[in-house]
Amino acid sequence: MTRLPRYAAMLAIAGHLPSDDQRWAYEVKFDGIRAIGHVDRDLRLISRNGNDITAAWPELADLAPATPPFVIDGEIVTFTTDGRSSFEALQPRMHQRNPAAIRSLAKSVKATYLIFDLLHIGTRSLIDLPYEQRRQLLEQLGLQGPHWRVPPRLHGSGAEVLAESRRLGLEGLVCKRLDSPYLPGRRSPLWTKVKNVNDQEVVIIGWRPGIGRRAGRIGSLLMGIYDNAGKLTYIGNVGTGFTQAMLDELKARLQPLQRKTPTVDTDVPDAIWVEPQLVGEVSFTEWTGDNRLRHPSWRGLRLDKEPRQVKREPQPRADPKE
């Protein structure tokens, strides 16, 4: 039996479309959970923060067995009726660990593993090969199943495929240099994400109590990120985008984490502070001059991320063509 090595996920930076289309491949940026798949006698799925999440996705088990065994990279997503991947729709499954509940949810919240890279096969690591060659080898595996597939390549110029992604309401594109090696655990400009919406991972550092219809519930969450010096800093509150079920779950998770002193160096009236242990994700319009998020809207918890990993998402510099 071959022992498959672990690989940390390679990450993209935020940026603009390349000017030299012939050197790049374009893929849809899907909105889900990143997972490295180890396919041998059984399937093992590892999240971006190194946790084994195999049990949460039983419908993917039939990817195994495989001879020779291999390691793949991809995104676990769920699709809405209009064909778009939805992080919000995936939320109930991300947090569930009860086997009976998982089996029940798998019938109503169907998951698909979208596989976009091949890192290892048999006894050979492929990470030093260029992306174009890894993609060709991946396609030769024929990974097409009821709950997994290799997304098709996008054809056309970067400008054309980005415009089409906007028309379809997709999150954006990932641009990958054809000669790019796979750099485990590194964020590299060889992979550039061009987004149609702004999003930011945040650390939950507290909440403010609700009033009116939200009396007894969370009114808004207090958000923070870590700066480059490793200090947790306050970036504002988010009070929209929640369902009642989300608010109930958040309160249940946050109440045991309460603390008496502020988590960050700021003054927020009526704040209930918590230990910075939970990560979420918000969409927003822009960063303000005083490092706050303007018009943030809650998208969901990110249990696949560690708080210390949460920093300000790099913003692309102004496009000289604009």
Side-chain angles (χ1 to χ4, degrees):
M1 179 177 176
T2 303
R3 183 177 178 84
L4 294 170
R6 278 203 179 199
Y7 295 96
M10 180 175 174
L11 305 174
I13 67 165
H16 293 287
L17 287 172
S19 59
D20 49 349
D21 282 322
Q22 68 278 5
R23 299 178 64 191
W24 294 80
Y26 300 108
E27 301 177 356
V28 171
K29 186 181 187 304
F30 292 105
D31 204 6
I33 301 171
R34 189 76 173 274
I36 302 292
H38 298 72
V39 189
D40 198 341
R41 294 181 184 175
D42 301 296
L43 172 68
R44 186 163 54 110
L45 294 168
I46 305 298
S47 69
R48 184 176 137 185
N49 60 345
N51 292 332
D52 190 322
I53 58 172
T54 311
W57 313 101
E59 64 267 64
L60 305 182
D62 287 343
L63 258 169
T67 305
F70 53 85
V71 180
I72 48 182
D73 188 3
E75 194 96 358
I76 299 172
V77 306
T78 189
F79 289 104
T80 58
T81 53
D82 59 4
R84 291 182 293 175
S85 60
S86 171
F87 181 67
E88 290 87 348
L90 201 60
Q91 285 286 301
R93 296 206 54 185
M94 287 179 62
H95 311 148
Q96 188 54 252
R97 291 298 178 264
N98 179 279
I102 288 170
R103 288 192 296 271
S104 176
L105 280 169
K107 297 176 183 178
S108 58
V109 184
K110 300 183 184 299
T112 301
Y113 189 24
L114 299 175
I115 304 160
F116 50 69
D117 217 320
L118 179 63
L119 313 186
H120 194 103
I121 189 163
T123 59
R124 184 185 177 192
S125 173
L126 306 180
I127 62 174
D128 291 331
L129 295 180
Y131 163 83
E132 187 173 28
Q133 190 172 348
R134 296 196 312 275
R135 174 76 192 209
Q136 291 170 352
L137 293 171
L138 174 63
E139 291 174 355
Q140 291 172 17
L141 290 179
L143 300 179
Q144 183 75 25
H147 298 285
W148 57 88
R149 66 175 183 267
V150 177
R153 305 189 195 203
L154 301 180
H155 299 288
S157 69
E160 290 169 340
V161 294
L162 182 61
E164 181 66 5
S165 77
R166 289 196 186 108
R167 187 186 71 80
L168 296 173
L170 302 177
E171 188 178 359
L173 300 178
V174 180
C175 315
K176 297 182 178 180
R177 269 266 298 267
L178 295 175
D179 60 353
S180 167
Y182 191 94
L183 304 173
R186 289 175 55 186
R187 192 179 294 277
S188 168
L190 295 172
W191 286 14
T192 300
K193 53 188 175 183
V194 183
K195 297 188 288 188
N196 296 321
V197 296
N198 292 320
D199 55 56
Q200 172 68 48
E201 293 167 5
V202 299
V203 181
I204 302 174
I205 56 176
W207 81 84
R208 296 187 69 186
I211 59 175
R213 290 192 302 172
R214 282 202 192 166
R217 284 194 169 98
I218 292 171
S220 63
L221 293 175
L222 281 56
M223 305 176 292
I225 58 173
Y226 283 92
D227 63 19
N228 290 332
K231 181 182 178 182
L232 188 60
T233 61
Y234 174 68
I235 59 169
N237 296 12
V238 55
T240 63
F242 301 101
T243 65
Q244 288 192 1
M246 286 179 178
L247 291 170
D248 290 342
E249 180 189 6
L250 283 164
K251 191 167 184 180
R253 286 180 177 273
L254 291 171
Q255 277 185 321
L257 302 178
Q258 289 185 51
R259 52 183 281 170
K260 295 181 178 179
T261 56
T263 320
V264 293
D265 188 14
T266 193
D267 181 25
V268 180
D270 305 323
I272 299 172
W273 302 100
V274 298
E275 298 293 339
Q277 295 183 14
L278 290 180
V279 175
E281 185 172 300
V282 298
S283 59
F284 67 102
T285 56
E286 63 180 351
W287 285 92
T288 67
D290 58 350
N291 291 317
R292 302 287 191 266
L293 294 184
R294 190 185 301 280
H295 303 142
S297 179
W298 182 252
R299 301 190 65 202
L301 285 170
R302 298 282 342 200
L303 300 183
D304 56 334
K305 307 292 174 68
E306 296 293 339
R308 286 277 176 182
Q309 297 174 331
V310 177
K311 297 184 177 182
R312 179 166 172 167
E313 183 74 14
Q315 300 294 298
R317 295 178 181 175
D319 190 334
K321 295 179 289 186
E322 295 178 348

